[in-house]
Amino acid sequence: MTDVRTTEAVRDWPMWIDGQEVASASGEWRTVENPARRETVIARVPAGNAADVDRAVAAARAAFPAWRAQHFSGRSKALLAIADELEARTEEFATLTALDTGNALRTQARPEATTMVSMFRYFAGVAGEVKGTTLPAGENQLQYTRLEPLGVVAAILPWNSPLMIAAFKIPAALAAGNTVIMKAADDAPLTILLLAQVCNRHLPAGVVNAMTGRGSVIGEALANHPGVDKVSFTGSTEVGQGVAAKAGARLAHMSMELGGKNPSIVFPDAVDEELIDGLLLASRFTRQGQSCTAGSRLFLHEDIYDDVLTRLSAKLGALKVGDPLDEATDMGAVINAKQHSAITGYLDEGRATPGMKAVLGGSAPLEGALTEGYYHLPTVFSGVKNEFRLAQEEIFGPVLVAIPWKDTAEVIRMANDTNYGLAAYVWSHNLDDALNTAHQVDAGWVQVNQGGGQVAGQSYGGYKQSGMGREVSLEGMLEGFTQTKQINVRLRGVPNG
C-alpha cells in the first residue's frame, strides 16, 4: 500500500494459532486503515497464507478430541467465563469496533458488543441440548441417535458487523463441541483478534484460532482444506458462491448468510410516529446501510406515499453523520474507498434515471469535515420502479428507494421479485393484512411493525440467493454444527415377562 498517512502509534496485532500469538509464516504484514480518516493507518496484521492455514487447521484438529469429549457443563462454563470477560470489556470492544469499522459508537458499535455477550451466554445455556433420541423399536432392540460435532469449523467473517456475526457462529460451534478457525475480514480484523485473545484465556489451546490475510488467499485455502469439516460464511452473494463452490466440491458442510434487498411494506393504517421510527431502524442507516437486513426497498401504499416519504426523509435528514467515536454521532463512515466509490456510482445513476428524484441526499459530501473520511449522507429516492437497478441490487450503503403500490397482491409480487430473500418488514395494524403478507413474502426473517426485534434464540437465515442454513438459535446450532449418528443395538436374552 502506498501514500498512506501513518498514525504515531501503529500497533501490530498478531494472529492466534494453537493458543499463541503468531506472525505469518512469510513474515509479511498488512496495514489496517481508519474509515473515518482517509489513508490513516491504525494497525498492522499478519498477511497470512496457505502455510498459516495448515498450522491453524493442525492446531484445531489436535484440540478437537479433548474438546468434544468434555461434558457439556465444562463447555458451558468456559463460554460463561468468556461472556463475563467480554461484558467487563464492553467499552474496549465498542471503541475498537468504531475505530476499525467506522460504525458509530452509540448506535452500532456498543450494541454490537453487548449482543456478543448475550450470544455467548445464550449458547452456554443451551449446550446441554445437544442430545439425541431413543426410538421405540421393540424389547430386543435399543435404537438411539447421537448428535456429534462436525469437527473443525472455519468461520469466514464480514467487515460490516464482525463481532455480531462472530457471535452468531463461534459460541454455537463451541457449545456443540467443535473447534474453530476465525478468518477476520481484510478491512476490519482488529475486534476479531481481540475476541480471540479473550477466548484463549478461557479455552484449551487450539480450540479457537484467528487468522488475517486476503480472502482470496486465506478464505480459499480454508474452503479447500480437507481438514476443515465445515465452512460458515457471511458476506456478499458473489463471494459466497465462490466459497460454496470450493467447499461443495469436496462435500464439506457449509452455511451461507449472504446478501439482501429487503422489502419494507407499509399499509395505509400503519401511519403514526412509531412507524417513522421503525422505518428509520429498518433502513439500517445508523449502520450506513451496510447491513444484509437493511429494508432498502420501501413499498408505500399510494394513499400515504407522499406523507410517509416527507416525514421519513425529515427524520433521516436529521441524523448526525460524523466521527464514529463521537457519542453524538448517529451514522458513521463507510468501510473503505472502494465501497464509497461504488455507492457514489449508484447515486449518480439514480439522479440520471428518468422519473427518479432524490428527495433527500443523492450525492457524497463535497466539502467540509466529512470529506476527511469515507462518509455518505442518507439518501432517499422517489419515483422508483421495482425493476430499476437501484431496486434490484444490494447497494450496501445509506440509500433507500421508495416504490408506490395500491393492491396487496401486487406489492407481494414486487416484494418477491428479487433474487434475494433474507429479511422483510410489514407494517399494518390489521392482523389479517400483517400476517397474510408476512406469510407470503419470500424471506427467512420477517418483522411485523418493528425495524429490529432480533434476539438470541431466534432462527436467522435467508431464502433464495440470500443463503442457506440458520444461525442464532438452538435449531440453527443443531442443524449447522452437529451431525446425527444412528446406533442400533440387538439385545439378547430379553425375558418374556
Side-chain angles (χ1 to χ4, degrees):
M1 193 171 296
T2 58
D3 297 325
V4 174
R5 297 198 311 268
T6 304
T7 56
E8 291 183 3
V10 175
R11 174 181 166 183
D12 287 347
W13 291 71
M15 300 186 292
W16 282 86
I17 296 177
D18 202 18
Q20 301 293 322
E21 290 184 296
V22 299
S24 171
S26 68
E28 296 180 1
W29 295 78
R30 300 186 64 213
T31 56
V32 181
E33 296 184 22
N34 179 359
R37 298 286 184 271
R38 296 184 186 224
E39 299 182 334
T40 299
V41 173
I42 55 176
R44 295 198 316 164
V45 296
N49 56 32
D52 298 307
V53 170
D54 289 338
R55 285 197 292 166
V57 172
R61 295 223 69 84
F64 175 59
W67 181 247
R68 74 175 291 183
Q70 274 213 33
H71 191 275
F72 76 84
S73 60
R75 295 197 291 269
S76 178
K77 183 178 180 180
L79 292 179
L80 288 173
I82 292 170
D84 288 345
E85 182 170 348
L86 293 175
E87 184 173 46
R89 300 173 70 175
T90 294
E91 278 305 297
E92 182 182 358
F93 273 96
T95 301
L96 187 59
T97 294
L99 183 68
D100 196 23
T101 67
N103 291 331
L105 181 63
R106 173 177 52 83
T107 58
Q108 173 62 19
R110 193 174 291 124
E112 187 175 339
T114 57
T115 295
M116 176 174 60
V117 175
S118 297
M119 294 301 296
F120 270 88
R121 290 209 170 112
Y122 171 77
F123 284 109
V126 299
E129 297 303 312
V130 183
K131 55 191 179 184
T133 58
T134 301
L135 309 177
E139 291 299 317
N140 68 339
Q141 285 284 324
L142 172 60
Q143 297 190 359
Y144 62 98
T145 63
R146 287 164 52 94
L147 297 186
E148 299 185 343
L150 300 177
V152 175
V153 174
I156 302 177
L157 303 170
W159 46 256
N160 60 326
S161 299
L163 281 183
M164 185 170 67
I165 303 303
F168 288 178
K169 303 177 189 296
I170 307 311
L174 295 175
N178 301 278
T179 54
V180 174
I181 302 169
M182 296 188 289
K183 193 282 175 190
D186 293 355
D187 290 296
L190 303 185
T191 56
I192 297 306
L193 295 173
L194 186 60
L195 173 60
Q197 178 198 87
V198 173
C199 289
N200 276 279
R201 285 165 56 87
H202 303 282
L203 296 170
V207 172
V208 169
N209 307 274
M211 308 193 67
T212 56
R214 293 194 178 279
S216 58
V217 177
I218 301 293
E220 182 169 339
L222 287 169
N224 284 324
H225 203 293
V228 172
D229 300 289
K230 170 165 182 178
V231 177
S232 179
F233 173 88
T234 296
S236 72
T237 296
E238 180 183 8
V239 175
Q241 287 171 332
V243 171
K246 293 178 177 64
R250 59 183 184 85
L251 300 182
H253 298 269
M254 71 179 83
S255 59
M256 300 280 147
E257 197 266 281
L258 308 175
K261 191 68 176 178
N262 310 296
S264 193
I265 302 171
V266 182
F267 284 80
D269 65 352
V271 180
D272 55 24
E273 197 57 36
E274 287 188 5
L275 167 71
I276 305 304
D277 289 337
L279 290 175
L280 185 154
L281 181 57
S283 74
R284 303 293 189 264
F285 276 16
T286 55
R287 291 170 62 180
Q288 301 80 258
Q290 296 177 144
S291 169
C292 299
T293 61
S296 54
R297 288 187 297 154
L298 179 58
F299 292 99
L300 297 172
H301 191 277
E302 60 182 17
D303 291 347
I304 49 94
Y305 184 90
D306 291 334
D307 177 40
V308 171
L309 204 55
T310 298
R311 293 168 63 180
L312 178 60
S313 296
K315 180 80 72 169
L316 293 172
L319 293 176
K320 176 177 172 54
V321 182
D323 184 352
L325 291 170
D326 186 343
E327 288 281 354
T329 294
D330 297 306
M331 179 174 151
V334 171
I335 188 66
N336 57 28
K338 179 181 178 182
Q339 187 65 17
H340 188 273
S341 177
I343 296 168
T344 299
Y346 281 106
L347 297 180
D348 292 344
E349 180 174 331
R351 295 194 311 273
T353 300
M356 285 183 63
K357 177 184 177 183
V359 296
L360 177 68
S363 61
L366 300 178
E367 58 184 10
L370 293 184
T371 59
E372 296 177 7
Y374 299 116
Y375 292 99
H376 267 289
L377 300 173
T379 292
V380 179
F381 283 108
S382 66
V384 181
K385 295 183 179 180
N386 195 52
E387 62 269 22
F388 287 179
R389 193 167 80 100
L390 269 68
Q392 289 293 315
E393 296 185 6
E394 186 179 36
I395 298 173
F396 229 59
V399 182
L400 188 66
V401 296
I403 303 169
W405 64 276
K406 61 181 178 180
D407 176 74
T408 303
E410 171 198 20
V411 74
I412 292 172
R413 178 192 61 76
M414 288 193 293
N416 290 336
D417 184 18
T418 173
N419 293 325
Y420 297 108
L422 182 56
Y425 305 86
V426 179
W427 310 85
S428 175
H429 295 166
N430 180 297
L431 187 62
D432 288 334
D433 285 339
L435 294 187
N436 285 334
T437 302
H439 293 169
Q440 292 180 68
V441 171
D442 296 334
W445 182 53
V446 182
Q447 296 292 299
V448 177
N449 293 327
Q450 58 183 354
Q454 190 168 27
V455 296
Q458 70 159 72
S459 286
Y460 175 67
Y463 286 13
K464 299 189 283 189
Q465 290 189 18
S466 287
M468 61 180 74
R470 293 296 179 267
E471 296 178 334
V472 186
S473 61
L474 169 62
E475 295 82 6
M477 177 181 75
L478 298 181
E479 173 194 334
F481 295 109
T482 71
Q483 54 193 342
T484 301
K485 177 181 287 182
Q486 174 73 45
I487 299 175
N488 294 6
V489 181
R490 181 175 179 272
L491 302 178
R492 295 183 295 173
V494 177
N496 293 323

